[in-house]
Amino acid sequence: MANRPFFAFHFHKQAHTPMYIQLAEQLQTAILHGAFLVDGQQLISLRDMKTVSGCSLETVKKAYDHLAEEGWLEAVHGKGYYLTQRAKEARLESRLPLTDIPIASLADSSPRPGEELVKRLRSAFNDSLAVLDEPSAQKKVRLAHAARVFADHLSRRGLPHFPERVLSFNRSTSGFAFLAQRVMNPRDVVYVEEYSYPVFLRLLSQCGITVRPIRMDEEGISIHALDEEHEHYPANWLLINPHHHFPTGISYSHQRKEELLQWAAQKNVRMVENDHYGDLWFSEPSTPLYQMAIDAKISVQVYYLHSLSKTLARDLQLGILLLPAELSKEELERSRQIVSMTGAEPSLVVVEAAIKLLDDPWFSDVYLADRRALFHSRFQRLWEEQRHSLPAHARMYPISGGLNTWIEWGVASDRAAESEDRIVAMLLEEGLELTPGHAFRVADEPEDTVRRPAVRFPLAPMEERELKHWLYRLGAALIR
């Protein structure tokens, strides 16, 4: 297949314009940039374009034929589609640079699952279909076994082996919704990091819960800022993402986590430890707050939330909530019943497929190890390039795991959002979709909030060469 120089298709499935027309219009742009051409004369085959674009073979054929009708392509029987003289002349007149091709996206940090994982998932799902006609008693046995496998997996993460405290959900967001709707109270005050997961922030607001953002430093959420806020709005909960924080990539220091546990115990504040990227550490996992509280015998309730979508597959939604060690058997059973009643449990078919993978040494010893090495390598290359690609007033955050880093620039001001939107718009014109820092802040943030502008820069959606390319383009935009 011909090279794909920084081109990504972007389709609007709900639009009135047929998909083949959308594809044909984008192919015209690609042709002008020299993308998808063999020897500069022939468009790649229908089947290759099907793979590249994600469209059906029928849609690709209709798009090629449409371009032929428009005078851009000529169909040669038995050979394929070639550029017409009109298309060749248009290319010479336009001379568009490759970097202008729309649109590559860094808005989603989810990695694509590896080929071997997809192969094993197909097999696992096929085997798990057997549960559909089993009696309820057998399904309960399977769920109990699944809890043990999930607990085994969490123990490799550094958590205690508590299968009786594991609740599984159809996604980690459902696990957090369970906390917001069933465990927290409508008048509770929840402290969150100044940059946080927007979906969780909306859930809290929808439940009538007061959200108070707390500023962060290089070691995590600021203890001094917590004390200041607690004087005015005493907290009931602290929601933090201490391991490869989303979206900044910060990993809390061990000392900061100890300070947080002591602070929560003194203030009688319960904690939600959101482990967004779960198993994607680079060299070794950091110790969870949940385990630290047990080891140090600190009296604070910690709810640990774990997502498997980043390590299995984005569309295989599965989340785990580990309930606090202090809860009684009666409280644990009540929680299980509530989850069952609300329909937030995952399909047993999904659970069976997932535990077949989690229980396979290949997944933890080979697949996850390879994924960690891949994203570590990508970050290392970006870290090496950032000194050459970014201006002196910009800074990339160092990370020790996860799927994204954070790039700040300029000086702190109350116009950070404007600066972010300007840079994001400039890069969008060049063909890159980035997420600005203000997208991760609370919705009702005061307009006079002073901070540095920033963007999230994920490691997963593109190959290393493309990531480096866009890092340089970001650096160029920051000096305009």
Side-chain angles (χ1 to χ4, degrees):
M1 184 188 299
N3 289 334
R4 181 181 71 87
F6 308 115
F7 192 98
F9 291 99
H10 188 69
F11 299 106
H12 299 279
K13 295 184 178 179
Q14 306 303 320
H16 295 297
T17 305
M19 287 287 287
Y20 79 93
I21 296 293
Q22 294 185 48
L23 176 58
E25 290 174 347
Q26 293 182 65
L27 281 176
Q28 280 185 285
T29 303
I31 289 170
L32 291 174
H33 294 76
F36 308 127
L37 295 178
V38 181
D39 297 328
Q41 304 289 326
Q42 180 184 8
L43 210 53
I44 62 175
S45 71
L46 297 173
R47 292 192 178 278
D48 282 347
M49 183 56 68
K50 172 182 180 293
T51 301
V52 170
S53 66
C55 295
S56 68
L57 199 60
E58 180 185 7
T59 297
V60 174
K61 178 71 165 57
K62 289 175 71 174
Y64 277 35
D65 288 341
H66 178 76
L67 288 176
E69 292 174 6
E70 294 293 313
W72 279 73
L73 296 178
E74 178 184 2
V76 179
H77 182 71
K79 292 186 176 181
Y81 290 79
Y82 288 74
L83 299 188
T84 61
Q85 188 61 34
R86 172 189 170 190
K88 293 175 185 176
E89 291 173 357
R91 281 196 62 206
L92 290 173
E93 291 174 3
S94 298
R95 297 183 182 276
L96 298 176
L98 291 175
T99 52
D100 287 345
I101 301 177
I103 196 167
S105 178
L106 286 176
D108 184 5
S109 62
S110 299
R112 300 182 185 92
E115 290 183 11
E116 180 63 21
L117 180 70
V118 173
K119 175 182 173 183
R120 292 180 183 235
L121 271 173
R122 286 197 186 101
S123 174
F125 271 112
N126 183 64
D127 293 344
S128 69
L129 293 176
V131 306
L132 296 177
D133 60 355
E134 287 183 347
S136 298
Q138 181 59 31
K139 291 179 181 179
K140 289 182 180 179
V141 172
R142 287 187 180 274
L143 287 172
H145 172 67
R148 289 194 294 273
V149 174
F150 288 142
D152 290 342
H153 181 72
L154 293 179
S155 67
R156 290 191 287 270
R157 173 69 182 86
L159 288 150
H161 194 267
F162 288 162
E164 72 281 2
R165 298 182 182 276
V166 170
L167 294 181
S168 56
F169 291 85
N170 50 29
R171 54 191 307 180
S172 58
T173 302
S174 298
F176 186 74
F178 164 77
L179 290 175
Q181 297 168 356
R182 305 291 176 171
V183 182
M184 298 177 184
N185 295 310
R187 295 186 179 181
D188 280 352
V189 174
V190 178
Y191 288 175
V192 301
E193 296 140 328
E194 61 176 332
Y195 294 99
S196 193
Y197 187 36
V199 176
F200 286 6
L201 298 180
R202 288 195 293 270
L203 270 169
L204 290 171
S205 296
Q206 290 167 5
C207 293
I209 294 168
T210 300
V211 178
R212 303 295 299 182
I214 309 296
R215 73 174 182 272
M216 302 172 66
D217 57 32
E218 294 185 355
E219 293 186 71
I221 199 167
S222 167
I223 300 295
H224 179 66
L226 285 172
D227 285 332
E228 285 185 333
E229 189 69 21
H230 205 267
E231 290 182 7
H232 305 287
Y233 295 94
N236 305 98
W237 293 84
L238 174 60
L239 165 62
I240 59 172
N241 185 185
H243 315 288
H244 327 308
H245 172 263
F246 179 89
T248 69
I250 289 175
S251 289
Y252 284 31
S253 69
H254 192 83
Q255 179 179 344
R256 179 59 52 85
K257 289 189 286 188
E258 288 179 336
E259 293 170 346
L260 281 172
L261 287 170
Q262 293 290 352
W263 183 89
Q266 292 170 5
K267 307 297 185 183
N268 194 29
V269 171
R270 287 183 280 181
M271 304 179 75
V272 180
E273 179 179 13
N274 177 29
D275 201 355
H276 185 78
Y277 289 127
D279 310 297
L280 294 176
W281 59 83
F282 288 163
S283 56
E284 59 181 1
S286 56
T287 308
L289 288 162
Y290 192 108
Q291 182 64 58
M292 289 176 64
I294 293 174
D295 292 343
K297 298 181 180 178
I298 299 176
S299 180
V300 55
Q301 286 191 6
V302 182
Y303 291 79
Y304 175 87
L305 189 61
H306 183 84
S307 172
L308 288 167
S309 65
K310 304 299 183 188
T311 47
L312 289 172
R314 179 180 62 182
D315 295 324
L316 203 163
Q317 298 286 358
L318 188 61
I320 301 169
L321 179 65
L322 190 61
L323 298 176
E326 295 82 0
L327 295 188
S328 66
K329 290 183 179 180
E330 291 75 18
E331 290 172 309
L332 295 177
E333 182 57 32
R334 177 176 174 273
S335 295
R336 273 191 288 270
Q337 290 178 358
I338 291 174
V339 174
S340 178
M341 288 166 47
T342 55
E345 287 182 313
S347 162
L348 193 51
V349 172
V350 173
V351 170
E352 282 293 302
I355 65 172
K356 184 173 182 180
L357 279 175
L358 296 179
D359 209 19
D360 186 342
W362 170 86
F363 180 74
S364 58
D365 298 344
V366 178
Y367 184 74
L368 282 182
D370 288 346
R371 301 293 268 183
R372 294 176 190 128
L374 171 66
F375 298 125
H376 187 198
S377 172
R378 286 184 182 174
F379 172 71
Q380 286 295 105
R381 293 301 298 271
L382 289 177
W383 185 254
E384 292 167 5
E385 294 293 337
Q386 57 102 15
R387 69 188 72 177
H388 307 296
S389 58
L390 299 179
H393 65 78
R395 177 201 179 201
M396 175 186 288
Y397 277 34
I399 61 174
S400 59
L403 292 172
N404 58 268
T405 184
W406 192 247
I407 298 175
E408 287 185 339
W409 66 87
V411 297
S413 75
D414 59 0
R415 305 186 69 177
E418 292 179 27
S419 180
E420 290 166 353
D421 287 340
R422 180 178 65 85
I423 294 298
V424 168
M426 288 171 61
L427 287 168
L428 190 61
E429 289 182 359
E430 293 197 10
L432 179 68
E433 182 183 23
L434 269 177
T435 307
H438 64 77
F440 304 101
R441 300 180 74 88
V442 295
D444 57 351
E445 179 179 75
E447 292 184 2
D448 59 354
T449 299
V450 175
R451 62 181 181 86
R452 293 183 76 191
V455 292
R456 184 187 63 160
F457 201 90
L459 309 175
M462 299 178 188
E463 298 299 323
E464 186 177 288
R465 188 169 69 100
E466 291 178 273
L467 289 171
K468 286 170 57 179
H469 167 81
W470 288 117
L471 184 65
Y472 274 89
R473 297 311 304 154
L474 172 60
L478 294 178
I479 58 177
R480 292 184 197 173

